Amino acid sequence: MKLQELLNYLPVVFQNIGRSIYGRKLIKERYGKMYHTTIAALKQQNYKDKSQNELRQQMALQLFIQTVSQNSPYYQKAWQEIDVTQIKTPDHLHLLPITEKESFRKNIETVYTLPEQESITSFTGGTTGKSLKVRYTPEDFQQRMAFLDHFKMQLGIDVFKDKKATFSGRSFSKSFWPWDNNV
């Protein structure tokens, strides 16, 4: 039995304590050293310098392609006939074959670039009806949070004060809600 399932059988007060502990874990995962380093760098960036922004994009793309081609068995096979060092800008992405969604979904275990025990797991929104499990390195996860929060800050949202609820392919038990789900 999973911890989440066990939690659903406990009295509400213990469920709340368990969820609070889980919330603390999420805060540590999301807002560590890499988060603060990235958010500070984003605040300092000159977004009007197009060539500087394009250079950052190119460097990030090259690192991504290198990581995927070296660490994903799926893409090692799919890209075996391609010289991935040729992919230097977004304009070169046409050199890569298109990965069909169902093929990606069926082969997800070989798509991953790191083992689950070394990753932070998240889920896609499941807008097509099936959410996917996504694995991040702890640093990548914090960097992702920094990019999202920086974007929100640009819109005037105080990410640490404004209340929010996020639903991303997760199910909530009936005991989570204070009202009847059948209403």
Side-chain angles (χ1 to χ4, degrees):
M1 178 181 288
K2 290 182 181 179
L3 185 59
Q4 178 63 38
E5 293 170 359
L6 177 64
L7 193 62
N8 291 336
Y9 290 102
L10 295 174
V12 173
V13 68
F14 293 115
Q15 290 181 30
N16 291 340
I17 291 169
R19 286 188 175 92
S20 293
I21 292 168
Y22 180 69
R24 286 302 227 193
K25 175 187 173 281
L26 291 179
I27 287 170
K28 287 178 83 170
E29 286 178 351
R30 293 175 182 178
Y31 305 110
K33 183 178 179 180
M34 180 57 79
Y35 173 88
H36 295 291
T37 300
T38 303
I39 205 93
L42 290 169
K43 288 178 181 178
Q44 297 299 316
Q45 281 183 11
N46 177 359
Y47 293 97
K48 294 179 182 176
D49 186 343
K50 184 178 178 184
S51 62
Q52 185 182 26
N53 291 326
E54 286 175 348
L55 182 60
R56 271 194 302 273
Q57 283 180 340
Q58 290 169 13
M59 289 170 48
L61 174 62
Q62 290 170 23
L63 179 60
F64 175 77
I65 295 294
Q66 179 184 13
T67 301
V68 169
S69 64
Q70 291 175 355
N71 299 305
S72 169
Y74 179 84
Y75 285 107
Q76 285 174 350
K77 184 177 177 184
W79 297 350
Q80 66 186 354
E81 303 296 322
I82 298 163
D83 180 5
V84 294
T85 62
Q86 300 276 324
I87 301 163
K88 300 195 182 298
T89 71
D91 293 333
H92 300 135
L93 288 173
H94 72 277
L95 298 172
L96 296 174
I98 294 173
T99 303
E100 298 293 330
K101 190 175 200 172
E102 269 315 302
S103 175
F104 185 84
R105 192 178 298 284
K106 280 187 215 172
N107 296 288
I108 192 69
E109 288 301 320
T110 61
V111 170
Y112 293 131
T113 60
L114 73 157
E116 189 166 10
Q117 62 272 20
E118 295 175 22
S119 69
I120 293 174
T121 302
S122 186
F123 295 87
T124 63
T127 54
T128 59
K130 300 177 189 174
S131 69
L132 285 172
K133 190 189 302 189
V134 181
R135 294 180 188 168
Y136 295 95
T137 66
E139 296 80 14
D140 285 343
F141 192 71
Q142 289 180 20
Q143 209 171 34
R144 175 184 177 271
M145 292 306 301
F147 279 108
L148 289 170
D149 287 354
H150 181 67
F151 173 75
K152 292 172 188 175
M153 289 175 195
Q154 298 295 309
L155 299 173
I157 297 169
D158 186 331
V159 295
F160 295 106
K161 289 186 181 173
D162 293 341
K163 301 289 183 213
K164 60 188 171 282
T166 304
F167 303 93
S168 57
R170 306 263 179 134
S171 61
F172 292 92
S173 69
K174 183 176 180 175
S175 61
F176 179 81
W177 302 106
W179 57 84
D180 185 357
N181 287 339
N182 295 324
V183 175

